[in-house]
Amino acid sequence: MTINGLLKHRESMLALVIVILIGAVGVITPDFLLAKSLLGAFNDTSMLMILAIGQMLVILTRCIDLSVAANLALTGMVVAMINSAMPGVPIPLLIILAMAMGAVLGAINGFFVWKVGVPAIVVTLGTMSIYRGMVFLLSDGAWVNAHQMSASFIDFPRNTLMGLPVMSWIALGVVVLLFFVTRHLRFGRDFYTAGGNPTAAFYTGINVGQVQFKAFVISGMLAGLCGYLWVSRYAVAYVDVASGFELQVVAACVIGGVSIMGGLGTILGCVLGALFLGVINNALPVIGVSPFWQMAISGAVIIIAVIANAKAERAPGRIILRRAVTGAADVNPTTATAVAKS
């Protein structure tokens, strides 16, 4: 089976697992199968989907962004404080500001990876702490609560359109847009090329570092968008907003079949990975499991998914030089060449 065939099979299996999981929870609690509950679970997963898609682009280029949750917290605090001080600022302007600020924070990560050559995991671990510290310095440790936010600021993601909250429509819009970009535009295909074979990408005129920079900018921009969505939906902004959420984001990508070695993954797989975690996170309280198990379950699922991905991607080697005929002189092993199947 080819890699593409394997991915399609994996996505089908993941979709089936999600359906079975929903059915199993529904047997215990029939109300979970109601359309209202299922739409609520989808809405609860919207921000995870958005962040996972941005993270996917970064991972495709053989990098990782561990600062997305800190980026979200900082941009969310900024727009919440602006709304508290100037309630008349239009919501669309605040969203644009959050996305622009998130893009700048992502660009900082991309700059150090591209121009300075620092490993992405080191850079984003550092900026994760810096961005969290900036939230504290900016707010002086204080919270921005619901009564300090304008009604329009809080209500925007909750407003419904054709039965779905605006936040769900935003997530669907991001999914459709980036699906089109990665499938039909060279700009999107460059993420796969840069991560799948950096050497070949270089010889075809693709600047791998620049592609990584773009991935970080997009990831940061989507984190900024989620910064507004998070603080407005939960009507609170504080230092530890979305603390540890980066684990869920990486888990959604890995579960969805995105290779941590780069160059392999799909938007659909990412969405299914996020939905899988969303169903688990919504189902655990329903069946009486402590929410503190969610992080442990996510970590275990990441390990299992990484092992599964590694085995799926491992290709057997084949010997190019071997004895031509029985009884011929042995070939010196040092001159034998083995290459992996492409």
Side-chain angles (χ1 to χ4, degrees), residues 79 82-83 86 89-99 153 228:
V79 294
I82 292 175
N83 177 255
M86 297 178 285
V89 177
I91 301 304
L93 183 59
L94 287 177
I95 294 175
I96 293 172
L97 175 62
M99 294 177 68
F153 183 88
Y228 163 74

Side-chain angles (χ1 to χ4, degrees), residues 65 71 101-111 131 213 216-217 220-221:
D65 187 357
N71 184 329
M101 182 177 175
V104 170
L105 297 178
I108 293 172
N109 291 330
F111 173 81
Y131 297 162
F213 176 82
F216 277 108
V217 170
M221 184 185 300

Side-chain angles (χ1 to χ4, degrees), residues 45-319:
T45 312
S46 295
M47 282 183 282
L48 179 57
M49 284 183 198
I50 296 172
L51 291 172
I53 290 172
Q55 184 74 253
M56 171 190 143
L57 298 181
V58 175
I59 295 176
L60 284 177
T61 66
R62 300 191 178 189
C63 294
I64 193 167
D65 187 357
L66 299 178
S67 69
V68 287
N71 184 329
L72 181 159
L74 180 55
T75 53
M77 177 60 77
V78 169
V79 294
M81 293 180 70
I82 292 175
N83 177 255
S84 176
M86 297 178 285
V89 177
I91 301 304
L93 183 59
L94 287 177
I95 294 175
I96 293 172
L97 175 62
M99 294 177 68
M101 182 177 175
V104 170
L105 297 178
I108 293 172
N109 291 330
F111 173 81
F112 281 102
V113 171
W114 176 23
K115 293 296 186 180
V116 183
V118 183
I121 191 170
V122 176
V123 171
T124 56
L125 275 173
T127 54
M128 177 178 68
S129 299
I130 293 171
Y131 297 162
R132 286 286 179 189
M134 290 175 66
V135 178
F136 183 85
L137 293 175
L138 188 65
S139 63
D140 199 24
W143 291 30
V144 180
N145 295 304
H147 68 274
Q148 299 170 274
M149 302 176 182
S150 67
S152 59
F153 183 88
I154 295 174
D155 292 341
F156 179 75
R158 294 181 171 85
N159 293 331
T160 57
L161 179 64
M162 294 188 290
L164 273 180
V166 169
M167 188 163 72
S168 293
W169 284 112
I170 291 174
L172 288 172
V174 171
V175 170
V176 171
L177 176 61
L178 287 178
F179 177 83
F180 175 80
V181 169
T182 55
R183 287 292 296 271
H184 301 290
L185 298 183
R186 179 177 176 178
F187 173 83
R189 301 304 301 174
D190 283 350
F191 295 113
Y192 290 91
T193 307
N197 194 329
T199 303
F202 173 79
Y203 283 110
T204 57
I206 296 174
N207 187 323
V208 175
Q210 190 176 78
V211 173
Q212 292 171 333
F213 176 82
K214 292 175 182 176
F216 277 108
V217 170
I218 295 173
S219 176
M221 184 185 300
L222 294 178
L225 171 62
C226 289
Y228 163 74
L229 293 175
W230 189 293
V231 299
S232 60
R233 181 169 190 259
Y234 296 109
V236 64
Y238 58 99
V239 174
D240 290 328
V241 158
S243 179
F245 199 63
E246 57 275 347
L247 175 62
Q248 295 271 315
V249 175
V250 174
C253 292
V254 175
I255 293 169
V258 180
S259 171
I260 59 174
M261 300 303 293
L264 187 65
T266 65
I267 297 293
L268 177 58
C270 230
V271 170
L272 289 173
L275 285 175
F276 176 82
L277 290 177
V279 170
I280 288 179
N281 293 341
N282 279 270
L284 290 181
V286 170
I287 61 178
V289 178
S290 170
F292 293 104
W293 278 99
Q294 292 179 16
M295 295 295 287
I297 292 174
S298 297
V301 170
I302 287 177
I303 294 173
I304 295 171
V306 167
I307 293 173
N309 287 351
K311 288 188 175 181
E313 294 160 20
R314 188 179 299 128
R318 60 189 175 92
I319 303 299

